[in-house]
Amino acid sequence: MEDAREQYMEAAIALSFQAMREDRGGPYGAVVVKDGEIIGQGMNEVTSTNDPTAHAEMTAIRQACQKLGAWQLEGCELYTSCEPCPMCMAAVYWARLDTLFYGNTKEEAARYGFGSQTIYDELARSRADRKVSMVPLMKEEALAAFKEWQQKSDKQSY
């Protein structure tokens, strides 16, 4: 089992080199594995696609979900070349992945100039103390959708 895990991590790390060397984005790669098969893979393509969500983990998760035809990845593992940023970590939880294996830590990423730690720090602040202004607007109108959702008999909970 250990050898297989190392092979999956090697695949994620290879994607991180590919992303960087092909000028697609930063040195990040990820693969999703289910039952010993890679079902999703991704590399950072933020700068080449002008998409701030085109992180390796997000791409690998999207691809795995498409392959399975499901939005949940229970029974799957994610191998990523670096500890995920807050956006990708949230996607790991939303997708319900079983296990996350990572190479570099978020602290190491910060030492090399990547800003995920800034976002972790911001999310720990109160809404009032964040750099991005957060202004409540039209709460009652927005709440109407939640109230209707609550009454919906065929809703799919997640």
Side-chain angles (χ1 to χ4, degrees), residues 46-119:
V46 170
T47 57
S48 62
T49 62
N50 295 318
D51 180 355
T53 70
H55 288 203
E57 299 90 343
M58 299 294 282
T59 304
I61 288 169
R62 287 179 187 131
Q63 196 176 92
C65 287
Q66 288 176 354
K67 179 165 181 135
L68 295 179
W71 58 271
Q72 293 182 339
L73 296 175
E74 293 169 328
C76 297
E77 301 170 333
L78 177 66
Y79 294 79
T80 180
S81 62
C82 186
E83 185 176 358
C85 74
M87 173 183 67
C88 294
M89 200 64 227
V92 166
Y93 280 100
W94 280 115
R96 293 178 172 77
L97 285 149
D98 288 356
T99 308
L100 167 69
F101 297 92
Y102 62 94
N104 297 313
T105 65
K106 62 183 179 165
E107 292 82 10
E108 289 162 333
R111 279 199 300 273
Y112 285 89
F114 296 100
S116 294
Q117 188 60 50
T118 303
I119 300 168

Side-chain angles (χ1 to χ4, degrees), residues 32 42-43 48 56 79 134 138:
V32 175
M43 67 181 76
S48 62
Y79 294 79
M134 296 183 64
M138 297 182 67

